[in-house]
């Protein structure tokens, strides 16, 4: 299939394009910025006419919409920017898909929930975002639902990709110059490997079971536990992590305290094959080492 990816130069977008090629599909990579020597077609998703023109030229069978304004603090400081990219941008993508009868897969987030539950959120729970990033991504979901009939909304969380700026990579980099730092202990989620997410998203390409799905790795942990596991599995010793409450973390953004997603719709269909976040982390660390050695 010809699969157009928005945000193809991002952490998830890169793995998506790579995995699409491996699985014999044709990735059509688009992103806002031109990158010299890369095969990425420049496309700003906030221009409805550019999006339609691009889709008419590239003629995709499916669009995976991964482009977004993902800096949560920047979204909080500039809600107009967040709504322009995440809500209007998604609307433009959805409208072009609807006009050309293209199947759309929109990547969304756990931040659509308020985090007040103490058990994992299913697809049937009611969103109630508590920050502008979450609200603008939810507005994107609504645009997709209102405009398209052939769509999947895939909510995910705490992404780690070997080809991007992830929390796990940040911990490893930090250990090169510091021997102690603080990590938030009272926010719980599930670290999700972009490779696993990409493969699961690709398995939706031929599905006619349209609707909303949660796709994350298995298990849950706090940022503090996650950081400890990253350092342990990377074999980094001599670092002391200090747990702190989120209230001591300097940020303009309120974040959900508990936002673990349950892959309930996949479970109900007997299609939940996601591995644990610890198993995924092992492969992430291996991939990262291979990438570092090849540079
Ligand atoms: N990272 C996470 O933990 C996480 C968790 C839950 C859900 N998600 C969702 O997963 C998706 C992928 O996330 P990611 O972490 O891979 O994000 P990322 O690395 O920030 O990639 C997003 C890409 O979109 C591009 N972009 C921004 N504005 C654009 C525009 N107007 N037109 C076209 N492209 C634009 C960005 O370009 P610039 O870098 O040049 O701005 C970037 O290359 C997003 O939809 C995000 O909301 C992410």
């Amino acid at each position: 299939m010809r699969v157009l990816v928005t945000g193809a130069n991002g952490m998830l977008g890169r793995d998506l394009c790579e995995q699409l090629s491996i699985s014999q599909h044709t990735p059509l990579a688009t992103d806002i910025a031109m990158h010299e020597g890369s095969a990425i077609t420049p496309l700003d998703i906030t221009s409805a006419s550019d999006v339609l023109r691009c889709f008419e030229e590239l003629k995709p069978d499916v669009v995976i919409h991964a482009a977004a304004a993902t800096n949560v603090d920047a979204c909080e400081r500039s809600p107009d920017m967040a709504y322009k990219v995440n809500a209007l941008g998604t609307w433009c993508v959805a409208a072009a898909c609807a006009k050309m009868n293209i199947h759309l897969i929109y990547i969304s987030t756990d931040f659509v929930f308020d985090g007040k539950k103490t058990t994992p959120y299913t697809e049937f729970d009611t969103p109630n975002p508590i920050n502008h990033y979450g609200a603008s991504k939810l507005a994107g979901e609504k645009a997709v639902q209102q405009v398209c009939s052939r769509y999947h909304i895939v909510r995910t969380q705490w992404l780690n990709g070997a080809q991007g700026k992830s929390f796990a990579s940040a911990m490893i980099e930090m250990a090169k110059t510091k021997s102690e730092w603080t990590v938030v202990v009272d926010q719980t989620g599930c670290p999700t490997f972009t490779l696993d997410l990409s493969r699961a998203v690709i398995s939706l390409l031929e599905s006619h079971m349209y609707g909303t799905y949660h796709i994350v790795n298995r298990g849950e942990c706090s940022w503090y536990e996650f950081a400890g596991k990253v350092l342990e599995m990377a074999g980094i010793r001599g670092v002391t992590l200090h747990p702190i409450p989120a209230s001591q973390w300097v940020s303009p953004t309120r974040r959900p305290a508990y936002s673990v997603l349950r892959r309930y719709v996949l479970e109900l269909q007997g299609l939940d094959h996601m591995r644990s976040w610890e198993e995924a982390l092992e492969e992430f660390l291996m991939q990262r080492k291979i990438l570092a050695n090849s540079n």
Side-chain angles (χ1 to χ4, degrees), residues 116-254:
K116 289 184 181 151
K117 272 186 82 178
T118 50
T119 54
Y121 283 91
T122 78
E123 294 84 345
F124 305 111
D125 282 316
T126 305
N128 181 33
I130 57 171
N131 57 46
H132 290 304
Y133 170 73
S136 62
K137 290 290 291 184
L138 181 62
E141 288 191 8
K142 287 186 178 151
V144 169
Q145 288 161 339
Q146 283 163 4
V147 172
C148 294
S149 53
R150 298 174 59 217
Y151 68 83
H152 289 89
I153 291 170
V154 173
R155 295 195 190 120
T156 189
Q157 69 185 140
W158 291 27
L159 293 186
N160 274 293
Q163 312 191 62
K165 284 186 200 155
S166 63
F167 177 84
S169 300
M171 293 301 106
I172 294 168
E173 288 308 305
M174 204 116 92
K176 290 180 182 164
T177 55
K178 287 182 171 187
S179 59
E180 56 181 321
W181 63 86
T182 57
V183 188
V184 170
V185 72
D186 55 356
Q187 281 169 358
T188 303
C190 183
T192 298
F193 189 23
T194 50
L195 178 71
D196 293 5
L197 174 61
S198 297
R199 288 175 179 157
V201 166
I202 289 168
S203 73
L204 293 176
L205 289 179
E206 314 225 17
S207 159
H208 70 285
M209 275 296 287
Y210 301 120
T212 301
Y213 287 75
H214 289 176
I215 304 185
V216 292
N217 279 119
R218 201 152 34 77
E220 61 179 64
C221 62
S222 67
W223 288 114
Y224 175 72
E225 288 166 324
F226 183 35
K229 193 51 109 179
V230 169
L231 297 179
E232 181 197 313
M233 287 175 75
I236 296 170
R237 288 182 188 80
V239 171
T240 308
L241 299 177
H242 301 287
I244 54 161
S247 55
Q248 282 179 26
W249 184 256
V250 182
S251 163
T253 316
R254 278 176 67 214

Side-chain angles (χ1 to χ4, degrees), residues 8-292:
N9 199 42
M11 181 165 63
L12 175 62
R14 287 179 193 213
D15 274 1
L16 274 171
C17 290
E18 222 166 80
Q19 291 305 310
L20 282 164
S21 295
I22 290 169
S23 44
Q24 308 301 318
H25 293 290
T26 305
L28 307 165
T30 72
D31 205 298
I32 190 161
M34 277 276 270
H35 295 273
E36 218 169 296
S38 86
I40 291 183
T41 301
L43 173 64
D44 181 350
I45 55 160
T46 66
S47 163
S49 55
D50 286 1
V51 172
L52 185 59
R53 196 175 317 119
C54 175
F55 289 9
E56 281 171 350
E57 271 167 26
L58 297 179
K59 299 187 174 43
D61 301 302
V62 183
V63 168
I64 304 178
H65 175 35
T70 56
N71 183 326
V72 174
D73 287 347
C75 288
E76 204 59 18
R77 289 191 193 98
S78 313
D80 288 352
M81 177 279 293
Y83 275 92
K84 181 156 185 190
V85 178
N86 296 339
L88 177 76
T90 301
W91 197 332
C92 295
V93 170
C97 285
K99 188 168 164 70
M100 295 178 66
N101 192 27
I102 298 168
H103 173 189
L104 171 61
I105 303 180
Y106 169 51
I107 309 297
S108 189
T109 172
D110 56 325
F111 272 36
V112 300
F113 294 114
D114 59 20
K116 289 184 181 151
K117 272 186 82 178
T118 50
T119 54
Y121 283 91
T122 78
E123 294 84 345
F124 305 111
D125 282 316
T126 305
N128 181 33
I130 57 171
N131 57 46
H132 290 304
Y133 170 73
S136 62
K137 290 290 291 184
L138 181 62
E141 288 191 8
K142 287 186 178 151
V144 169
Q145 288 161 339
Q146 283 163 4
V147 172
C148 294
S149 53
R150 298 174 59 217
Y151 68 83
H152 289 89
I153 291 170
V154 173
R155 295 195 190 120
T156 189
Q157 69 185 140
W158 291 27
L159 293 186
N160 274 293
Q163 312 191 62
K165 284 186 200 155
S166 63
F167 177 84
S169 300
M171 293 301 106
I172 294 168
E173 288 308 305
M174 204 116 92
K176 290 180 182 164
T177 55
K178 287 182 171 187
S179 59
E180 56 181 321
W181 63 86
T182 57
V183 188
V184 170
V185 72
D186 55 356
Q187 281 169 358
T188 303
C190 183
T192 298
F193 189 23
T194 50
L195 178 71
D196 293 5
L197 174 61
S198 297
R199 288 175 179 157
V201 166
I202 289 168
S203 73
L204 293 176
L205 289 179
E206 314 225 17
S207 159
H208 70 285
M209 275 296 287
Y210 301 120
T212 301
Y213 287 75
H214 289 176
I215 304 185
V216 292
N217 279 119
R218 201 152 34 77
E220 61 179 64
C221 62
S222 67
W223 288 114
Y224 175 72
E225 288 166 324
F226 183 35
K229 193 51 109 179
V230 169
L231 297 179
E232 181 197 313
M233 287 175 75
I236 296 170
R237 288 182 188 80
V239 171
T240 308
L241 299 177
H242 301 287
I244 54 161
S247 55
Q248 282 179 26
W249 184 256
V250 182
S251 163
T253 316
R254 278 176 67 214
R255 289 168 166 78
Y258 183 92
S259 60
V260 178
L261 299 178
R262 180 171 174 187
R263 302 164 306 283
Y264 196 37
V265 173
L266 288 179
E267 279 173 33
L268 293 175
Q269 295 179 83
L271 296 174
D272 177 24
H273 309 302
M274 295 299 280
R275 61 181 159 176
S276 72
W277 66 265
E278 292 97 329
E279 287 169 272
L281 178 59
E282 203 171 333
E283 191 172 345
F284 163 85
L285 291 169
M286 222 141 65
Q287 249 197 20
R288 209 179 162 273
K289 210 160 159 187
I290 293 166
L291 280 173

